[in-house]
Amino acid sequence: MNTLGIYEKAIPFQGTWKQTLQCIHEIGFHYMEFSIDESDEKLARLHWSKAEREELRQASLETGVRLHTLMLSGHRRFPLGATDPNIRAKAIEILRLAVDLAVDLGISHIQMAGYDVYYEPKSVLTRAYYIEGLKQCVAIAAQKGVVLSIETMDDPFLNNLAKIKALKQEIASPWLQGYPDLGNISAWPENDVACDLEANIDIVTCTHLKDTLAVRSDFPGKFKEVPFGEGCVDFLGCLRTLKRLNYNGGLTIEMWTGQQDDAMKTIRMARSFFMDLFNQAGIEIADVE
């Protein structure tokens, strides 16, 4: 059986972590994907006190909602491939702090954004810096038993699992894996999402469920906030492929509805949308206890 999770930014904060996770439980999710994005507010979580960490950990234990993955998109602002050595050093420090936070929260996987750089031009040099930095990150994570799973991105640098597996040829470690985003892979016309999953299922630790609009010569694509079923992703085909490949990992609905007045309604509709597809694909979702 598979488990179903929700991205933290989909859920309006309910006043306390326990109330928020209880809300996630009542809707019917097994886990929450915790966010450390590039904002000062989220990056400050890396410096949480022991009491703040304990509050979230205890809320998880009491509600039964696991903290399954930590989404570390803060590297978009402080990328491993930056030409500025101070930014590269900051990126390593962010990863080090994120690993320690993950350990304290009981999180075993950190989802890393697969950008060499985001706000500056890409080059062979930024790629070299990225790989050098990633080697350091994997060593740091391995020491604490935390898996780094690189997400397939809205960016051509690492936009499919094949490119992530190629990195593993240089960084041969069980602590470096892949995190496919079905929307991101599907949006790039050069990708064959089925073949990418089939050839690289052995490195997949978790899967993002997100819709996108495809990249074209006259359109840069749209990678966020595309209503499910209105984009280019063949969800049923992807899910049947995962079923055929005996994938039993997490399936995470990625949404950004946390600030919307109708967030709960939208989340329930999304869950219903995917539960119907899971039934069609033959994917069994475990009961939420």
Side-chain angles (χ1 to χ4, degrees):
M1 289 190 177
N2 294 84
T3 55
L4 183 63
I6 189 75
Y7 183 34
E8 180 194 341
K9 290 185 179 180
I11 302 288
F13 190 68
Q14 302 296 300
T16 68
W17 280 116
K18 183 176 181 179
Q19 290 170 320
T20 302
L21 295 186
Q22 186 61 42
C23 177
I24 291 173
H25 180 271
E26 290 172 357
I27 294 174
F29 293 104
H30 299 91
Y31 64 87
M32 180 185 78
E33 185 162 77
F34 185 65
S35 172
I36 302 288
D37 65 21
E38 61 185 309
S39 68
D40 290 337
E41 175 191 4
K42 293 293 198 299
L43 287 171
R45 292 176 169 183
L46 296 173
H47 302 281
W48 267 1
S49 66
K50 185 178 294 186
E52 288 172 310
R53 296 168 192 232
E54 179 60 26
E55 178 190 357
L56 179 52
R57 179 70 182 271
Q58 191 62 32
S60 173
L61 292 172
E62 292 179 7
T63 61
V65 175
R66 288 183 291 110
L67 305 173
H68 189 61
T69 46
L70 185 156
M71 182 192 282
L72 184 60
S73 52
H75 276 155
R76 184 162 69 170
R77 178 177 169 190
F78 299 101
L80 292 168
T83 52
D84 184 337
N86 294 318
I87 294 179
R88 296 201 303 276
K90 177 74 170 180
I92 297 295
E93 180 61 15
I94 285 173
L95 187 280
R96 188 185 305 276
L97 292 169
V99 167
D100 289 341
L101 179 61
V103 170
D104 288 345
L105 295 177
I107 296 173
S108 59
H109 287 73
I110 292 177
Q111 182 249 287
M112 295 182 70
Y115 301 117
D116 55 343
V117 291
Y118 189 80
Y119 295 113
E120 65 175 287
K122 298 174 180 295
S123 67
V124 175
L125 182 60
T126 61
R127 176 182 174 81
Y129 283 146
Y130 173 84
I131 296 174
E132 291 167 11
L134 184 61
K135 286 183 177 180
Q136 295 182 59
C137 291
V138 172
I140 292 167
Q143 289 175 347
K144 298 292 180 72
V146 174
V147 175
L148 303 183
S149 296
I150 301 175
E151 183 183 18
T152 56
M153 299 308 297
D154 56 344
D155 177 279
F157 181 67
L158 290 174
N159 61 359
N160 58 42
L161 289 168
K163 291 181 178 180
I164 296 170
K165 182 175 277 188
L167 285 180
K168 283 177 62 64
Q169 294 180 353
E170 182 167 351
I171 309 173
S173 172
W175 306 103
L176 179 64
Q177 301 295 340
Y179 192 138
D181 182 306
L182 298 182
N184 289 346
I185 297 176
S186 298
W188 294 97
E190 65 268 30
N191 287 340
D192 183 321
V193 62
C195 290
D196 197 44
L197 290 171
E198 290 164 358
N200 303 292
I201 193 65
D202 56 312
I203 69 169
V204 174
T205 60
C206 198
T207 301
H208 263 160
L209 304 175
K210 184 185 73 178
D211 219 339
T212 51
L213 298 178
V215 174
R216 304 190 306 266
S217 59
D218 60 344
F219 180 64
K222 185 176 181 182
F223 294 88
K224 289 181 63 173
E225 299 176 335
V226 176
F228 295 117
E230 297 183 17
C232 65
V233 181
D234 180 353
F235 283 114
L236 182 56
C238 289
L239 292 171
R240 288 189 71 92
T241 299
L242 290 173
K243 171 66 175 179
R244 175 166 50 82
L245 296 171
N246 297 316
Y247 173 72
N248 295 117
L251 297 162
T252 309
I253 297 177
E254 187 176 20
M255 304 171 66
W256 292 265
T257 50
Q259 303 301 316
Q260 297 178 11
D261 292 338
D262 62 346
M264 296 307 182
K265 177 182 178 181
T266 304
I267 294 164
R268 292 180 188 277
M269 289 174 60
R271 184 181 183 281
S272 178
F273 174 83
F274 281 110
M275 289 301 293
D276 180 60
L277 286 170
F278 297 150
N279 289 333
Q280 294 181 57
I283 290 177
E284 294 184 76
I285 301 296
D287 292 336
V288 174
E289 300 178 355

